[in-house]
Amino acid sequence: MLSALELTLVLLSAAVIAVVALRAVGLPPLVAYLAVGVVLGPHAADLAANTAAVHGLAEIGVVFLMFSLGLEFSLPKLLTLRRHVFGLGAAQVGSTLVLTVLALLLLPAVASKWLFPGGIDWRGAVALGGAVAMSSTALVIKLLSERRELETEHGKRVFSVLLFQDLAVIPLLILIPALNSGDQWWQGMVLAVVKATILLVLLLRFGPPLMRRWFSMVARQRSHELFTLNVLLATLLFAWLTKMAGLSMELGAFVAGMLIAETEFRYQVEEDIKPYRDVLLGLFFITIGMQLNLRVVLESWEQVLLLLTVPVIVKFFLVAGLVRGFGGTPGVAVRTGIWLAQAGEFGFVLLTQALGATLLGSEAVQPALAAMLLSLMVSPLLIAQANRIALRTTAQEWLQRSLQIQKIASSSLARSKHVLIAGYGRSGQGLAHVLEAEKVPYLALDLDSDRVHEAAAGGESVVYGDATRRDALVAAGVHRARALVITFGEVPDSLKLLAVVGDLAPQLPVLVRAASESDIERLRAAGATEVVPEIAEGSLMLASHALALAGIPASRVMQRLGTVRHERYAILRGFFHGADDHEHESIEQEHLHLHAVGLHADSAAIGRAIGEIKLAGARITAVVRAQGRLLTPPPELVLEVGDTVVLSGTVDQVGAAEAGLLGSG
């Protein structure tokens, strides 16, 4: 038997290896944790014999998940989406639960015994129906955020249904233990509801002011360690209170999160609790995987396959039908159905609780666990094809896509030499206002329909469209544009867009917004002309204000900022001068100039590496080829016929360097 330390090392090592391996193929960490539990559990390698401590920590992981859910429970957001949450969400959970119970109870006895060897009664069917009704909040929200689809029509519906599912877990956590009270189950249920009602009324009535005073007192100590300890204490204290009242710990944690969400400490608490939640929740999924007996699953693979395919297919058609019933278009209905077809983490919680309450036997739980695990593994692959499936299955979707592209094209037809803005959040809007003030034409693409509607109504040049799609970029006039500015901030989306632009318009200058400097090289290598890191620019603005407050003259402050930016950004290292430059006194002989030199077959530089050419003090900042623009080219780059070399230096240096490039060598 492994010691606690040895067990921890084994679990951590296996989790790290599994997460890295599965992320490489696009699967979420949740699946990796489940796989670790299966491999190391008592039914396989049997390395996790010390299960008491592991299960205790795993239960706390679920507590923290519910606490985080309470923090996200925003009343204004709920009111905004109330039709989707309490209409579509309630219909999905209720109809899925009822259909599952009816299907299981109406199965012929032979089929029921084959599907669930240990047998299943109506109480077990209710528990299984509740588990089937759940979808994966952790997986789906993460994918929605990564794909920038939270604010799309199907994204709003998916989020609303997930929110109601998470709220529905609370009564289900009360109901399932009460069903184990024999013929008097309804008495246990009524008692649990009464306890929960009294406790919730007391906590919600007196909790907010007490919570605000409590956290204010701790915050005044100005100790991050004390604040974090206080968050852990509050979470576990409320979980313990509800457990002592005969209710689930998860309910208490949810209430604690709700109370803190009403205070000004919500976001700090969310950041402090995230590491503990993620680690302990990973441990919870490992314990779920430990319950899976691969031998039983292999012996009953037909049941596993049936329990995998039928719920996924039924949930897809059920959700799609409900979305259509609530006024959604066919394309939105198909996408929403695909996004919500998989099992969820709270389904595992409910199954585990049903197993502990003996509502379901191990023989019934094993195939269900395996099917749910497989649905989570398959779900990212299905979601990746959601748009393609929607286009192929709904004729109206093709029409809507065509109308969308036509609208983008009609907005861009009158524009030439305009700036394309990908993303119209705060950064995109700020940029657009500056361009408009300078009478520079622009066109912005954004996927938030509400934002696009409001901005377009206000007279701004923004249309609904996905900038990462080829057809949308072509319709927006990417071949006529002067520049493209990517304001997303999410590196994967920026890389995807850079790849599309590199194929469509490789010579188009592309400016990219980045969260930090660590992403600069990746984005430049992908084709970005320049990358502007938010943190670096923020620090420059802070430095300028600090220098001004310290009494440094404004001219020296601006000179210092110019020096820093000159060293940081290649695009600011000089300028292309023209006929009217004599009007500007700031343009002097010693200032850097940019000059483009085209190389022809007779040029001396052809076939020579940049490092071999004497440039008289100038430097080559870029080489433009048919494949695109290469900034800060390496010394070993060999120049070819047709290259355009961009020189940087004083007027004399640039002139001498040009003579060296074009002369006899």
Side-chain angles (χ1 to χ4, degrees), residues 291-429:
Q291 298 176 21
L292 190 64
N293 189 335
L294 288 177
R295 182 182 58 81
V296 175
V297 171
L298 291 174
E299 291 175 354
S300 55
W301 64 268
E302 299 98 333
Q303 291 95 315
V304 173
L305 187 60
L306 188 65
L307 290 172
L308 167 65
T309 54
V310 172
V312 168
I313 293 172
V314 170
K315 283 179 71 174
F316 165 75
F317 283 106
L318 181 62
V319 171
L322 289 172
V323 171
R324 289 288 289 142
F326 278 84
T329 64
V332 171
V334 170
R335 290 185 179 90
T336 308
I338 293 173
W339 277 90
L340 294 172
Q342 80 291 121
E345 52 272 5
F346 284 121
F348 292 113
V349 175
L350 296 175
L351 273 187
T352 304
Q353 196 176 48
L355 184 62
T358 65
L359 298 181
L360 292 171
S362 178
E363 299 85 356
V365 169
Q366 288 297 327
L369 280 175
M372 291 168 66
L373 191 156
L374 290 173
S375 77
L376 284 174
M377 296 179 70
V378 171
S379 186
L381 305 177
L382 290 175
I383 288 173
Q385 301 299 318
N387 289 331
R388 187 173 298 176
I389 294 172
L391 285 170
R392 290 187 175 183
T393 55
T394 58
Q396 186 178 351
E397 187 69 14
W398 279 104
L399 178 60
Q400 288 181 339
R401 176 64 59 83
S402 300
L403 291 174
Q404 183 188 113
I405 297 301
Q406 183 181 3
K407 187 172 183 180
I408 296 173
S410 63
S411 300
S412 71
L413 278 177
R415 290 175 173 83
S416 181
K417 300 296 182 182
H418 57 294
V419 175
L420 281 177
I421 303 175
Y424 206 61
R426 293 184 180 181
S427 298
Q429 291 173 45

Side-chain angles (χ1 to χ4, degrees), residues 111-338:
S112 179
K113 286 290 184 181
W114 173 77
L115 193 57
F116 301 105
I120 185 170
D121 61 4
W122 70 270
R123 295 174 302 173
V126 169
L128 196 57
V132 172
M134 300 295 114
S135 302
S136 178
T137 301
L139 172 66
V140 171
I141 294 297
K142 183 175 184 296
L143 290 175
L144 279 173
S145 300
E146 289 179 351
R147 296 168 62 91
R148 297 188 304 110
E149 297 185 26
L150 266 171
E151 298 300 331
T152 59
E153 289 300 317
H154 66 274
K156 292 176 182 177
R157 288 168 171 80
V158 169
F159 177 82
S160 300
V161 172
L162 289 173
L163 179 58
F164 187 87
Q165 288 178 1
D166 293 340
L167 294 176
V169 169
I170 303 300
L172 287 171
L173 289 173
I174 297 173
L175 172 64
I176 290 176
L179 292 177
N180 193 34
S181 304
D183 294 335
Q184 286 75 38
W185 67 269
W186 62 272
Q187 296 177 359
M189 179 63 187
V190 171
L191 181 61
V193 170
V194 171
K195 286 181 181 179
T197 302
I198 295 173
L199 188 64
L200 287 173
V201 169
L202 291 174
L203 291 176
L204 295 177
R205 173 66 180 84
F206 301 105
L210 290 175
M211 189 68 75
R212 184 171 282 106
R213 292 194 193 100
W214 179 5
F215 272 80
S216 297
M217 180 182 66
V218 173
R220 281 196 294 269
Q221 304 303 313
R222 297 184 179 276
S223 170
H224 185 267
E225 179 183 2
L226 181 61
F227 190 86
T228 304
L229 287 173
N230 186 63
V231 173
L232 298 176
L233 173 62
T235 307
L236 296 178
L237 176 61
F238 275 75
W240 177 78
L241 286 174
T242 52
K243 184 178 182 180
M244 290 298 99
L247 303 170
S248 68
M249 293 197 301
E250 291 84 358
L251 176 60
F254 178 80
V255 173
M258 283 182 59
L259 296 180
I260 295 176
E262 298 300 319
T263 71
E264 62 271 26
F265 306 104
R266 168 184 175 179
Y267 297 105
Q268 181 62 45
V269 169
E270 191 171 11
E271 287 301 313
D272 287 343
I273 208 70
K274 189 179 296 182
Y276 303 98
R277 179 199 67 192
D278 292 345
V279 171
L280 293 173
L281 191 60
L283 196 57
F284 164 73
F285 286 118
I286 289 176
T287 61
I288 294 296
M290 288 178 181
Q291 298 176 21
L292 190 64
N293 189 335
L294 288 177
R295 182 182 58 81
V296 175
V297 171
L298 291 174
E299 291 175 354
S300 55
W301 64 268
E302 299 98 333
Q303 291 95 315
V304 173
L305 187 60
L306 188 65
L307 290 172
L308 167 65
T309 54
V310 172
V312 168
I313 293 172
V314 170
K315 283 179 71 174
F316 165 75
F317 283 106
L318 181 62
V319 171
L322 289 172
V323 171
R324 289 288 289 142
F326 278 84
T329 64
V332 171
V334 170
R335 290 185 179 90
T336 308
I338 293 173

Side-chain angles (χ1 to χ4, degrees), residues 402-520:
S402 300
L403 291 174
Q404 183 188 113
I405 297 301
Q406 183 181 3
K407 187 172 183 180
I408 296 173
S410 63
S411 300
S412 71
L413 278 177
R415 290 175 173 83
S416 181
K417 300 296 182 182
H418 57 294
V419 175
L420 281 177
I421 303 175
Y424 206 61
R426 293 184 180 181
S427 298
Q429 291 173 45
L431 169 62
H433 297 158
V434 173
L435 294 174
E436 188 174 14
E438 292 295 327
K439 295 183 171 51
V440 176
Y442 72 90
L443 181 64
L445 299 174
D446 197 87
L447 281 174
D448 188 328
S449 57
D450 292 337
R451 180 188 297 149
V452 170
H453 177 75
E454 290 289 335
E460 302 193 13
S461 301
V462 55
V463 290
Y464 182 87
D466 185 355
T468 63
R469 295 186 60 87
R470 295 172 61 93
D471 51 3
L473 279 178
V474 172
V478 68
H479 296 102
R480 306 189 307 274
R482 178 179 300 175
L484 167 67
V485 183
I486 302 175
T487 69
F488 298 151
E490 292 88 5
V491 175
D493 292 326
S494 298
L495 292 173
K496 182 179 179 182
L497 178 49
L498 285 168
V500 177
V501 173
D503 187 33
L504 288 174
Q507 298 198 31
L508 179 69
V510 183
L511 305 181
V512 184
R513 167 189 167 216
S516 66
E517 293 194 14
S518 61
D519 301 320
I520 290 179

